[in-house]
């Protein structure tokens, strides 16, 4: 998918000069960055993903998605930096009529319950299904 297509789906403004960059994946863990991916900087309670931008770029990230408050002066000029108010919000709900994905796209479901009156549930499989 091209950067322009992804940004349009997510409702994010982007630089037209970088619109043809082919995106091979989206990661928020710099250790999983690879050639052609977007690295999303997530600011957590104890770890700030903005601190690992250099690591993501060294591993091949082609685009950085960061918070507007981040100072991006140390990022090379050939790496587009897209600044948004909140990176989690920007990528959580793409503005796509087919979002969220259909339930059949989920391979399995597991629920773990804490209450003694509730039970764990899993999607049925051939091995655990019983005839009605």
């Amino acid at each position: 998918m091209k950067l322009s297509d992804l940004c349009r789906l997510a409702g994010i403004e982007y630089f037209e000069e970088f619109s043809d960059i082919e995106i091979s994946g989206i990661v928020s863990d710099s250790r999983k960055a690879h050639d052609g991916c977007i690295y999303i900087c997530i600011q957590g309670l104890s770890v700030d993903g903005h601190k690992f931008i250099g690591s993501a770029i060294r591993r091949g990230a082609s685009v950085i998605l960061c918070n507007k408050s981040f100072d991006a002066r140390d990022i090379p000029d050939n790496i587009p930096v897209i600044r948004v108010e909140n990176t989690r919000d920007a990528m959580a709900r793409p503005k796509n009529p087919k979002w969220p994905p259909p339930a059949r796209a989920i391979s399995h479901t597991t629920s773990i319950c804490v209450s003694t009156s509730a039970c764990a549930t899993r999607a049925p499989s051939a091995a655990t299904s019983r005839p009605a």
Side-chain angles (χ1 to χ4, degrees):
M1 176 178 279
K2 292 194 183 298
L3 177 61
S4 57
D5 297 330
L6 182 63
C7 287
R8 204 170 309 126
L9 286 173
I12 299 172
E13 292 181 33
Y14 60 94
F15 301 106
E16 196 64 39
E17 64 191 271
F18 295 111
S19 64
D20 287 338
I21 292 177
E22 194 67 34
I23 302 301
S24 63
I26 300 172
V27 298
S28 58
D29 183 338
S30 64
R31 298 168 294 186
K32 295 181 180 178
H34 56 275
D35 288 341
C37 75
I38 291 180
Y39 174 63
I40 302 176
C41 305
I42 303 289
Q43 190 168 0
L45 295 175
S46 60
V47 178
D48 184 356
H50 293 84
K51 293 181 181 178
F52 302 101
I53 290 174
S55 174
I57 291 171
R58 285 190 294 280
R59 286 183 162 85
S62 297
V63 179
I64 304 298
L65 182 68
C66 67
N67 290 334
K68 282 189 176 180
S69 60
F70 179 72
D71 181 6
R73 284 183 283 185
D74 295 334
I75 298 176
D77 292 339
N78 64 329
I79 304 288
V81 176
I82 300 172
R83 294 173 186 234
V84 294
E85 217 39 62
N86 183 311
T87 53
R88 288 178 195 266
D89 291 344
M91 293 309 294
R93 294 186 184 112
K95 295 181 177 164
N96 179 348
K98 294 181 181 178
W99 189 264
R104 71 179 183 279
I106 300 172
S107 61
H108 69 277
T109 302
T110 301
S111 300
I112 299 174
C113 306
V114 189
S115 146
T116 56
S117 63
C119 61
T121 59
R122 292 180 182 255
S125 68
T128 60
S129 296
R130 296 183 193 144

